[in-house]
């Protein structure tokens, strides 16, 4: 049997499989009536984390663009290089110790696994 026929059969079977899953039944979820929802606090934490990631991404991207190795890359090309370490918490920022220049970036460390 050639590969094209195998793939044709797979695609046809996959469609039947998906249709069977839809026909199978319903999903029932049980909630405890005593359970409390803390959605506003969770959303506030998510917003805080999102702002921190945006700020960190901006600082690190500007630092990387200053280096000859990354100078030619656009922000879109830096994103894959930078987002994975940010998501996995593998980025450390060093700032100057001066009180007047607390936001000045002194160095960036990105490490693998």
């Amino acid at each position: 049997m050639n590969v094209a026929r195998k793939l044709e059969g797979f695609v046809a079977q996959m469609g039947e499989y998906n249709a069977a899953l839809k026909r199978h039944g319903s999903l029932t979820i049980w909630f405890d009536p005593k359970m409390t929802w803390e959605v506003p606090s969770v959303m506030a934490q998510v917003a805080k984390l999102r702002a921190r990631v945006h700020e960190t991404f901006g600082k690190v991207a500007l630092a990387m663009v200053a280096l000859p190795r990354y100078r030619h890359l656009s922000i879109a090309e830096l994103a894959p290089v930078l987002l994975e370490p940010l998501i996995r918490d593998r980025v450390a920022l060093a700032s100057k110790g001066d009180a007047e220049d607390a936001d000045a970036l002194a160095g960036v460390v990105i490490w693998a696994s």
Side-chain angles (χ1 to χ4, degrees), residues 49-72:
L49 181 64
R50 183 181 298 134
R52 191 170 143 220
V53 167
H54 286 183
E55 178 184 357
T56 305
F57 182 86
K59 286 181 178 180
V60 176
L62 285 174
M64 288 177 75
V65 169
L67 298 172
R69 179 176 182 172
Y70 300 106
R71 187 170 291 148
H72 67 282

Side-chain angles (χ1 to χ4, degrees), residues 6-62:
K6 281 185 181 179
L7 289 176
E8 264 180 29
F10 178 74
V11 171
Q13 291 172 358
M14 198 59 167
E16 292 171 12
Y17 177 72
N18 285 339
L21 284 177
K22 289 177 185 176
R23 286 191 309 267
H24 180 66
S26 65
L27 173 67
T28 304
I29 301 174
W30 298 89
F31 291 102
D32 184 5
K34 299 173 198 163
M35 184 172 72
T36 59
W37 291 87
E38 304 272 339
V39 175
S41 66
V42 171
M43 293 305 289
Q45 289 175 348
V46 168
K48 188 176 174 182
L49 181 64
R50 183 181 298 134
R52 191 170 143 220
V53 167
H54 286 183
E55 178 184 357
T56 305
F57 182 86
K59 286 181 178 180
V60 176
L62 285 174

Side-chain angles (χ1 to χ4, degrees), residues 49-61 64 70 74-91 108 110-111:
L49 181 64
R50 183 181 298 134
R52 191 170 143 220
V53 167
H54 286 183
E55 178 184 357
T56 305
F57 182 86
K59 286 181 178 180
V60 176
M64 288 177 75
Y70 300 106
S74 68
I75 296 295
E77 293 167 329
L78 278 177
V81 174
L82 206 51
L83 281 179
E84 185 71 22
L86 275 174
I87 291 168
R88 298 190 183 279
D89 200 21
R90 294 181 179 152
V91 175
V108 176
I110 301 174
W111 62 92

